[in-house]
């Protein structure tokens, strides 16, 4: 004999009783004499499903965090190579013979990364801030124009030197012309 719940009031009654002694509702005993055994079987099955679901979720999270993406170091290496190729192929930058000596990349949030590149120009190292978006398969990078201010200074110095040389040449021509004029008029 086992105890079952009354369908009306929920009190425990004997599985052999014909009605509930508390409320008088007719009792409908279970077909089997082991109602708790069925419940244990159901709980065991639910436990197994929950355990499998837990490990599937853990596996997916681990893949997302570690397996589906390259490491920051790998991303850094690929972005560095891409930047170097762009510096070589861009006609405006190629003439400066820029060389990326180092690139450090950190993940800001989601697919947004930021990097700090050290660019060598004429024996000096200059920092460049690099913004990177990486979706697990491909990446894009961007360097703000202001990061190339060190080149603007170089260009201005070159232009200043060229202008200075032109002024010297014009001054020399004026002096030669003045000398020639004096010699003719003496």
């Amino acid at each position: 004999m086992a105890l079952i719940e009354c369908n009306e009031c929920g009190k425990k009654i004997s599985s052999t009783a014909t009605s509930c002694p508390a409320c008088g509702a007719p009792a409908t005993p279970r077909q089997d004499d082991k109602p708790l055994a069925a419940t244990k079987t159901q709980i065991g099955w639910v436990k197994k499903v929950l355990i499998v679901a837990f490990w599937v979720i853990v596996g997916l999270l681990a893949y997302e965090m570690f397996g589906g993406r390259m490491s920051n170091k790998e991303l850094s290496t690929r972005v560095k190579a891409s930047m170097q190729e762009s510096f070589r192929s861009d006609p405006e930058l190629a003439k400066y013979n820029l060389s990326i000596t180092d690139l450090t990349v950190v993940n800001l949030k989601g697919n947004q990364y930021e990097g700090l590149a050290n660019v060598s120009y004429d024996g000096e190292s200059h920092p460049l801030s690099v913004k990177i978006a990486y979706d697990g398969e491909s990446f894009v990078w961007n360097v703000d124009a202001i990061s190339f201010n060190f080149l603007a200074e170089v260009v201005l110095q070159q232009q200043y030197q060229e202008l200075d040389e032109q002024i010297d040449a014009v001054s020399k021509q004026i002096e030669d012309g003045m000398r020639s004029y004096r010699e003719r008029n003496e």
Side-chain angles (χ1 to χ4, degrees), residues 51-150:
I51 289 171
V52 169
F54 170 78
W55 285 111
V56 167
I57 290 170
V58 167
L60 289 173
L61 288 173
Y63 177 78
E64 179 64 27
M65 291 174 68
F66 306 110
R69 296 180 175 262
M70 66 179 91
S71 70
N72 287 358
K73 187 171 182 170
E74 291 170 306
L75 180 61
S76 173
T77 301
R78 289 185 55 197
V79 170
K80 179 180 171 185
S82 174
M83 290 176 69
Q84 190 66 62
E85 179 58 34
S86 292
F87 289 175
R88 285 187 186 127
S89 63
D90 184 309
E92 289 298 315
L93 294 174
K95 61 186 172 187
Y96 299 108
N97 197 24
L98 300 173
S99 176
I100 301 174
T101 58
D102 185 40
L103 174 63
T104 303
V105 173
V106 293
N107 181 245
L108 296 178
K109 182 173 109 175
N111 68 346
Q112 299 300 311
Y113 293 77
E114 196 156 311
L116 182 64
N118 288 318
V119 178
S120 176
Y121 171 71
D122 202 23
E124 292 184 31
S125 184
H126 304 275
L128 291 182
S129 178
V130 184
K131 291 183 170 90
I132 305 162
Y134 170 59
D135 66 1
E137 294 179 22
S138 57
F139 61 87
V140 293
W141 58 268
N142 181 43
V143 176
D144 292 330
I146 199 163
S147 294
F148 290 101
N149 276 350
F150 69 93

Side-chain angles (χ1 to χ4, degrees), residues 165-179:
E165 290 170 3
Q166 289 174 357
I167 289 171
D168 287 346
V170 169
S171 294
K172 185 169 179 3
Q173 288 176 352
I174 290 174
E175 286 176 13
D176 288 346
M178 292 292 286
R179 189 174 321 124

